[in-house]
Amino acid sequence: MSHGPPPVETPRTVLAHVVSDDHVLWGVTMLALVLDVMTTLYGLGRGLAELNPVVLALIPSFGPVGALLFLKVLVLCIALVAWTVLPNKYRAAIPIGVAVPWGVAGLMNTQLILITLFG
């Protein structure tokens, strides 16, 4: 017995499914966090400079790892509070709004590291 071919999902339905599954968006946010922190720490270890003025201000008190983790945890706490307060149809904006700058920072760090390593 056959039920026929599986339905074909269009890019729009795939995007709607991803956006409706907030756990996927939070997973991407966590990946962006890890990318940003790991590339920042690696770059600092290679002699690159931190450009975020908030992180720069926190480094003397917390060290590089502590400063980055403190700031990331603070942002995540604020984001989670905002996510719980917003109506369901707007919640996806929170993890996206956090993941995009962290992802961009991680990719920029990666680019600088590669330029430093390979010229």
Side-chain angles (χ1 to χ4, degrees):
M1 178 188 286
S2 174
H3 296 284
V8 176
E9 291 195 45
T10 65
R12 175 178 270 192
T13 58
V14 170
L15 180 61
H17 178 68
V18 168
V19 170
S20 69
D21 292 339
D22 285 348
H23 65 278
V24 172
L25 294 175
W26 283 109
V28 170
T29 301
M30 297 310 295
L31 288 173
L33 179 149
V34 169
L35 175 67
D36 185 16
V37 170
M38 297 305 289
T39 57
T40 297
L41 293 174
Y42 184 83
L44 291 174
R46 290 284 202 182
L48 296 175
E50 175 60 55
L51 297 179
N52 183 328
V54 177
V55 175
L56 280 174
L58 293 173
I59 286 176
S61 299
F62 297 102
V65 175
L68 287 169
L69 293 181
F70 174 79
L71 189 58
K72 300 300 180 189
V73 168
L74 178 64
V75 169
L76 281 175
C77 288
I78 293 168
L80 287 171
V81 168
W83 183 79
T84 59
V85 172
L86 283 175
N88 285 343
K89 68 180 185 176
Y90 301 116
R91 284 184 175 175
I94 300 300
I96 292 169
V98 175
V100 168
W102 286 350
V104 168
L107 292 173
M108 289 174 62
N109 291 344
T110 302
Q111 178 186 21
L112 288 171
I113 290 166
L114 290 174
I115 289 170
T116 301
L117 292 175
F118 301 110

